[in-house]
Amino acid sequence: MGKAGPKSKQASPAAVSQSCEEKGWFREHGETGSGKTTQIPQYLYEAGIGRQGIIAVTQPRRVAAISLATRVSDEKRTELGKLVGYTVRFDDLTSDETRIKFLTDGMLLREAIGDPILRKYSVVILDEAHERTIHTDVLFGVVKAAQKKRKELGKLPLKVIVMSATMDVDQFSQYFNGAPVLYLEGRQHPIQVFYTKQPQSDYLQAALVSVFQIHQEAPSSQDILVFLTGQEEIEAMTKTCRDIAKHLPDGCPQMTVMPLYASLPYSQQLRVFQAAPKGCRKVILSTNIAETSITISGIKYVVDTGMVKAKKYNPEIGLEVLAVQRVSKAQAWQRTGRAGREDSGICYRLYTEDEFEKFDKMTVPEIQRCNLASVLLQLLALRIPNILTFDFMSKPSPDAIQAAIEQLDLLGAVEQKEDQLVLTPLGRKMAAFPLEPKFSKTILLSPKFHCTEEILTIVSLLSVDSVLYNPPARRDEVQSVRKKFISSEGDHLTLLNVYRAFKNVSGNKEWCKENFVNGRNMMLVSDVRAQLRDICVKLSMPMESSRSDTANIRRCLAHSLFMNAAELQPDGTYSTVNSHQLVAIHPSSVLFHCKPSCVVYNGLLHTNKCYMRDLCVVDAEWLYDAAPDYFRRKLRAAKN
DNA sequence: GAGCACTGC
């Protein structure tokens, strides 16, 4: 280890695990492998409940909905899409015969807009409720309201089953008026949990030491999963591990190190599923994507740094903050559980037991960490009588609700009618799009600027993961090849150029590779665009192209994003027009090295600094034209 | 001057 490269100050590899204390055996909260998700819908169906209406089972993720539907239809020995089917965005495999339907929570929520009492369904099963996704949280309220309404109308009762993998069932039961609780025994293998004796000041160093400690002691067939916080950290650690692994003493097994995070191209993500060659250990360095979304078999050791990068939302200045913070206890147990999927496992927690006791019990539900504009628009579209008193299981802060109402008001989506907040006709149209309200508004404004075709493309590009692939190791190459797409007018128009070039070569895979374009995400853009275009056609919008005229596209963006404007100051910094917040251009923007005098941006993100993301150069006068009242108010406020 | 956890409609 002494000759192991740059880290000469490295602590002895034994430092961490020798100071780890064993803390007994642990049995996960009776969940994995109990088969509840596949069996309960079938029991209900056998009991005849499926005859009166469809049994819905929601999932937070698309892949889960699809694979569960596949498994259950196999078990029923029926063709997928007949008795058992699934509905996810862009993919509906159901028919008139379907009685057991798996769907994403977001999809059921969207269905509810057209049918708030969910009349098609006899049972709604909300699975993975412990994850508390924003969609599942809204669905709690929606199904509860539907139950009440159906009772009032004398219709078939709606049965609701909430399935959670953690023990915090009390609040679920309480929320549903003291509903009965059933416990299911899981089949989790035992996992030994170790804590450090001392708090670790440098969790990266501690992780590195633990990995090589395990590597020197454990049989090479046993793989290690390390939880870290983000791409940059993981890439750096990957390199360090590989460097050290090159210089291990004789007799030490080989090691293959793999990074894993969501923005990694699919082909590289797949590598974590391949078994390492004999005599070689697999070490996976992952974000929390491996907590729930990706399950890797054969993991014997989990190393948990106890840290996670998570988003918070500050409603007062409309600022998203992305920060490294402590995981919750529930999240730590979830990570630990990843070590015991096939056999008994071992988890090293790189924090003390005292520190662990101070972690939050549960992760704060997403609904309390987000901008609520989309959720409120959806609730209003559901004709919820009063969104201010909506029965949330975990209420968002009044500030967050107020900020969302203000945002919807600025977009012209809501109005007061007889003391009630209701949607305007524009707001109702906005709710038809599966988009953030500001993007729906951009589309609905576009006919005025004769650029709907271009705006559809831009909005689609912005609503999927980045189509631009930026491998850090090939930065110079990326920059030189990307030059040809760059528009001096900003990121929106640059993305439009990339899309047009992609279409010109009909999505050629080689072209994507050469140009560092993520082909898979680009295909998704096409799907999104087609869906959005369909909605426009249904709303009878004229579909026009501005062709080479980019000024109209920028005018359209100025009119929909006027509340997200910033101006260059004499000292070279930027200040937002809305709240005079000091902001900077995000390094990922094509305008990073430029100093346009006036821009609009999609959003603010606070990491090390407060950054504007996805910028478009605009004229200051356009902004004033877009919302004269708003800017008059701002001017008055500034004078006072 | 220098960066972006994870889902989903």
Side-chain angles (χ1 to χ4, degrees):
Chain A
M1 289 288 296
K3 57 180 175 181
K7 305 254 172 190
S8 56
K9 278 190 293 186
Q10 208 158 277
S12 147
V16 167
S17 39
Q18 271 182 5
S19 66
C20 274
E21 284 178 284
E22 182 181 347
K23 274 296 165 192
W25 299 79
F26 154 72
R27 209 178 159 81
E28 202 173 332
H29 302 128
E31 132 269 10
T32 337
S34 62
K36 60 179 170 13
T37 308
T38 53
Q39 300 312 305
I40 289 174
Q42 297 187 58
Y43 298 155
L44 293 171
Y45 174 71
E46 299 303 337
I49 289 172
R51 249 172 289 157
Q52 303 150 306
I54 301 168
I55 299 164
V57 188
T58 69
Q59 292 294 317
R61 284 167 290 280
R62 294 165 51 93
V63 275
I66 296 168
S67 67
L68 285 164
T70 309
R71 224 165 87 197
V72 172
S73 77
D74 281 354
E75 285 181 16
K76 298 283 341 153
R77 298 176 191 284
T78 56
E79 197 185 323
L80 185 59
K82 295 283 167 70
L83 176 67
V84 185
Y86 67 84
T87 305
V88 297
R89 191 180 185 186
F90 308 125
D91 202 0
D92 180 7
L93 212 57
T94 59
S95 60
D96 291 344
E97 294 165 51
T98 303
R99 287 294 167 269
I100 302 176
K101 173 165 151 185
F102 288 85
L103 70 178
T104 46
D105 48 9
M107 201 68 203
L108 185 60
L109 198 53
R110 194 137 282 277
E111 283 189 8
I113 292 179
D115 175 19
I117 62 166
L118 300 166
R119 65 188 77 224
K120 275 197 273 188
Y121 301 101
S122 55
V123 185
V124 170
I125 301 177
L126 302 171
D127 196 12
E128 309 286 3
H130 60 280
E131 289 193 25
R132 304 296 302 273
T133 70
I134 198 161
H135 293 143
T136 297
D137 262 31
V138 177
L139 279 174
F140 288 141
V142 170
V143 295
K144 194 174 173 181
Q147 278 184 319
K148 190 163 163 248
K149 190 86 192 166
R150 272 162 63 154
K151 203 171 176 184
E152 284 168 13
L153 294 172
K155 293 196 184 291
L156 176 79
L158 177 66
K159 293 193 191 324
V160 175
I161 299 176
V162 178
M163 301 208 284
S164 166
T166 49
M167 296 294 251
D168 60 315
V169 290
D170 289 355
Q171 61 174 332
F172 295 127
S173 170
Q174 228 168 49
Y175 180 79
F176 287 104
N177 310 314
V181 176
L182 296 170
Y183 295 87
L184 293 175
E185 186 77 13
R187 280 203 310 263
Q188 176 76 34
H189 299 280
I191 299 167
Q192 271 177 293
V193 179
F194 295 94
Y195 295 91
T196 60
K197 275 188 176 156
Q198 299 296 326
Q200 301 294 307
S201 58
D202 182 347
Y203 66 85
L204 293 175
Q205 178 66 12
L208 194 67
V209 167
S210 300
V211 164
F212 283 95
Q213 170 74 25
I214 297 164
H215 185 58
Q216 288 182 323
E217 290 177 350
S220 64
S221 60
Q222 301 181 338
D223 297 336
I224 308 174
L225 172 62
V226 187
F227 284 102
L228 298 163
T229 69
Q231 172 176 349
E232 202 178 296
E233 187 176 284
I234 286 168
E235 289 292 348
M237 179 81 91
T238 302
K239 190 172 179 308
T240 310
C241 285
R242 283 175 182 164
D243 286 348
I244 296 173
K246 269 187 227 153
H247 303 99
L248 286 172
D250 292 340
C252 201
Q254 298 283 102
M255 179 190 280
T256 169
V257 187
M258 298 168 186
L260 179 63
Y261 45 86
S263 61
L264 199 68
Y266 192 56
S267 60
Q268 288 186 55
Q269 285 187 3
L270 287 179
R271 284 188 206 159
V272 304
F273 297 112
Q274 292 168 2
K278 213 172 157 45
C280 182
R281 185 192 319 282
K282 195 159 77 173
V283 176
I284 297 160
L285 308 179
S286 175
T287 60
N288 45 350
I289 193 171
E291 258 172 37
T292 49
S293 305
I294 292 181
T295 298
I296 308 150
S297 59
I299 297 293
K300 181 78 175 178
Y301 289 92
V302 161
V303 175
D304 178 17
T305 58
M307 307 304 280
V308 66
K309 203 176 282 188
K311 193 154 74 178
K312 286 187 266 185
Y313 176 66
N314 178 342
E316 276 152 41
I317 35 179
L319 188 59
E320 289 178 341
V321 181
L322 196 59
V324 173
Q325 55 192 59
R326 281 301 194 186
V327 296
S328 65
K329 282 184 185 144
Q331 220 173 345
W333 286 121
Q334 177 71 27
R335 290 178 172 190
T336 298
R338 299 316 244 182
R341 297 196 63 87
E342 282 90 28
D343 201 350
S344 61
I346 295 166
C347 175
Y348 288 106
R349 293 183 168 169
L350 303 180
Y351 38 87
T352 66
E353 195 174 13
D354 283 350
E355 287 179 294
F356 175 73
E357 287 307 325
K358 288 181 192 129
F359 289 5
D360 290 340
K361 188 161 175 262
M362 309 294 299
T363 309
V364 177
E366 195 184 0
I367 201 158
Q368 295 180 332
R369 294 184 286 124
C370 282
N371 179 335
L372 295 175
S374 294
V375 166
L376 251 43
L377 188 71
Q378 272 178 318
L379 288 177
L380 288 164
L382 277 158
R383 299 181 201 277
I384 297 290
N386 184 352
I387 52 165
L388 294 175
T389 57
F390 182 71
D391 190 7
F392 288 106
M393 184 178 297
S394 301
K395 287 208 186 320
S397 75
D399 278 353
I401 294 178
Q402 204 48 50
I405 292 174
E406 273 165 34
Q407 197 183 331
L408 290 174
D409 184 46
L410 280 177
L411 292 169
V414 293
E415 61 188 342
Q416 287 287 339
K417 233 181 200 170
E418 295 149 18
D419 281 353
Q420 284 272 348
L421 193 70
V422 294
L423 288 183
T424 60
L426 175 72
R428 186 148 291 278
K429 284 183 187 171
M430 282 165 63
F433 290 93
L435 293 169
E436 277 182 56
K438 60 172 181 260
F439 291 142
S440 313
K441 174 74 182 284
T442 313
I443 292 177
L444 288 164
L445 271 177
S446 64
K448 194 173 159 193
F449 301 93
H450 316 287
C451 58
T452 304
E453 295 285 3
E454 284 74 21
I455 289 293
L456 278 175
T457 303
I458 289 168
V459 166
S460 304
L461 283 156
L462 294 172
S463 64
V464 305
D465 285 340
S466 177
V467 297
L468 305 176
Y469 174 49
N470 299 308
R474 302 172 71 182
R475 226 179 61 179
D476 295 342
E477 229 177 309
V478 172
Q479 271 183 354
S480 78
V481 87
R482 198 154 289 161
K483 263 186 200 147
K484 58 177 173 288
F485 304 121
I486 288 179
S487 160
S488 59
E489 296 173 311
D491 300 299
H492 299 82
L493 291 154
T494 299
L495 284 170
L496 181 62
N497 289 339
V498 175
Y499 183 84
R500 282 175 168 161
F502 174 84
K503 283 288 157 185
N504 273 339
V505 298
S506 316
N508 179 292
K509 282 207 175 96
E510 273 307 304
W511 180 91
C512 288
K513 220 170 171 183
E514 284 162 20
N515 289 283
F516 298 98
V517 166
N518 185 322
R520 194 159 141 261
N521 288 348
M522 210 41 132
M523 298 303 286
L524 200 58
V525 171
S526 296
D527 289 345
V528 174
R529 194 183 187 285
Q531 187 190 26
L532 300 179
R533 200 174 191 281
D534 279 351
I535 297 169
C536 291
V537 171
K538 285 201 185 97
L539 293 174
S540 314
M541 286 168 57
M543 306 298 291
E544 285 180 277
S545 167
S546 68
R547 303 186 188 281
S548 58
D549 174 13
T550 56
N552 260 334
I553 298 171
R554 291 191 295 122
R555 263 191 206 100
C556 182
L557 291 168
H559 275 246
S560 50
L561 295 173
F562 64 85
M563 65 299 277
N564 290 351
E567 280 182 312
L568 183 64
Q569 304 300 299
D571 67 356
T573 64
Y574 282 87
S575 171
T576 64
V577 176
N578 181 33
S579 56
H580 299 287
Q581 161 99 29
L582 173 70
V583 292
I585 297 177
H586 195 278
S588 67
S589 171
V590 297
L591 298 176
F592 182 53
H593 293 287
C594 311
K595 294 257 179 227
S597 65
C598 188
V599 294
V600 290
Y601 53 85
N602 286 349
L604 295 178
L605 181 75
H606 191 101
T607 50
N608 292 327
K609 260 191 201 171
C610 192
Y611 287 109
M612 303 180 275
R613 287 193 300 179
D614 301 312
L615 287 78
C616 179
V617 178
V618 296
D619 284 4
E621 303 93 82
W622 298 349
L623 294 173
Y624 189 80
D625 290 345
D629 291 345
Y630 171 81
F631 285 102
R632 266 197 293 271
R633 274 205 309 275
K634 286 285 154 205
L635 272 176
R636 263 205 310 277
K639 271 181 197 156
N640 298 332

